[in-house]
Amino acid sequence: MKRRTLVYMIFREDYVGLRTVSRSKKSPHRFYISRNKLEELEHKPEVIACDIHSFAVLRRDTYAGTLEIAFTWLGGDKNSLSGYQDTIILPYDEMVEHLHESVSESGPIVWKVLSVDNSATQARIVFKSRKNLHAALGNGVIRRKLIRFLRDQFRWGNSEEIEIYDDFMPYSFFFRETGICGGIIFHGQEDMETAYYLMHM
């Protein structure tokens, strides 16, 4: 089982400060994320935040209802850098609730929470139709986006296999798992560099 991390978040009017503490280490400093960055997750599946030398990739999983924050903690000077990487998963709706409360409350809101256990293995993915798959893999930019999306999604505890079929939209797919179906849609195709995959249920 993955060891869970204790997360301290302070919600203020314009930003959120965040620290992590696990059995083996604690974050070297408080990481500050602007409110605007967190609000972007309502419309984007992934955003990147920077603070001093460190940075974090924030990914929202709409099906699981979680927010994954992958930190790269860095420190040092112009001659050398050192650090480590760490990933935490939080309940997304609860985080958003505190974000909204921090606007109406007179002072900052403190949230202490244990990260979500992410020990569930990824379900096996089986492609049943291959036209859109071949098209996506034939384009280096789209291939990287699809591989990253499939790597980060479908960590559903009780799922063993997920079948994926072609969708009518280019580079997009329809998926089916016992009792669940939806789409893996490639959005923003007018600009392939900024286009992204998003799950629709």
Side-chain angles (χ1 to χ4, degrees):
M1 178 180 288
K2 177 182 173 64
R3 289 179 176 174
R4 300 169 73 185
T5 300
L6 181 60
V7 182
Y8 294 86
M9 297 184 76
I10 300 179
F11 295 81
R12 298 184 183 274
E13 187 174 351
D14 298 322
Y15 64 87
V16 175
L18 187 152
R19 295 203 76 157
T20 62
V21 179
S22 68
R23 290 179 182 268
S24 58
K25 58 178 123 17
K26 63 179 180 179
S27 56
H29 60 84
R30 190 180 301 279
F31 193 98
Y32 293 96
I33 305 172
S34 71
R35 172 179 294 274
N36 293 338
K37 282 289 182 186
L38 290 172
E39 290 174 345
E40 284 180 29
L41 290 166
E42 289 293 315
H43 313 288
K44 296 181 180 179
E46 178 179 292
V47 298
I48 298 174
C50 301
D51 184 25
I52 313 176
H53 297 296
S54 302
F55 64 91
V57 180
L58 292 79
R59 298 184 186 95
R60 180 185 177 190
D61 185 331
T62 53
Y63 176 80
T66 57
L67 169 64
E68 177 187 275
I69 308 178
F71 290 101
T72 299
W73 298 102
L74 295 174
D77 54 34
K78 63 181 180 180
N79 298 317
S80 65
L81 283 175
S82 62
Y84 66 94
Q85 293 181 316
D86 190 23
T87 300
I88 60 169
I89 299 177
L90 302 174
Y92 179 77
D93 289 342
E94 196 171 346
M95 185 278 296
V96 170
E97 184 179 330
H98 291 303
L99 190 66
H100 293 325
E101 286 177 2
S102 63
V103 175
S104 58
E105 297 291 330
S106 57
I109 293 176
V110 177
W111 184 34
K112 298 178 183 178
V113 62
L114 283 173
S115 62
V116 175
D117 180 13
N118 191 34
S119 59
T121 57
Q122 187 174 40
R124 187 164 69 97
I125 296 173
V126 178
F127 281 89
K128 294 291 189 176
S129 300
R130 294 182 168 83
K131 178 184 175 184
N132 285 6
L133 177 62
H134 286 311
L137 295 180
N139 182 306
V141 173
I142 301 173
R143 180 174 65 246
R144 287 190 295 274
K145 293 175 185 288
L146 177 60
I147 290 172
R148 186 167 60 241
F149 179 88
L150 294 175
R151 179 199 68 199
D152 296 337
Q153 302 298 320
F154 300 121
R155 294 186 179 276
W156 302 346
N158 298 322
S159 297
E160 294 184 3
E161 182 175 288
I162 295 169
E163 297 177 343
I164 297 183
Y165 302 84
D166 286 344
D167 188 79
F168 67 91
M169 289 184 63
Y171 311 114
S172 300
F173 306 92
F174 171 83
F175 72 85
R176 184 172 60 197
E177 193 268 345
T178 307
I180 302 171
C181 60
I184 302 170
I185 308 302
F186 193 51
H187 288 271
Q189 296 188 30
E190 61 277 1
D191 185 346
M192 290 299 183
E193 291 296 330
T194 59
Y196 57 91
Y197 279 99
L198 187 63
M199 186 181 295
H200 292 255
M201 304 296 289

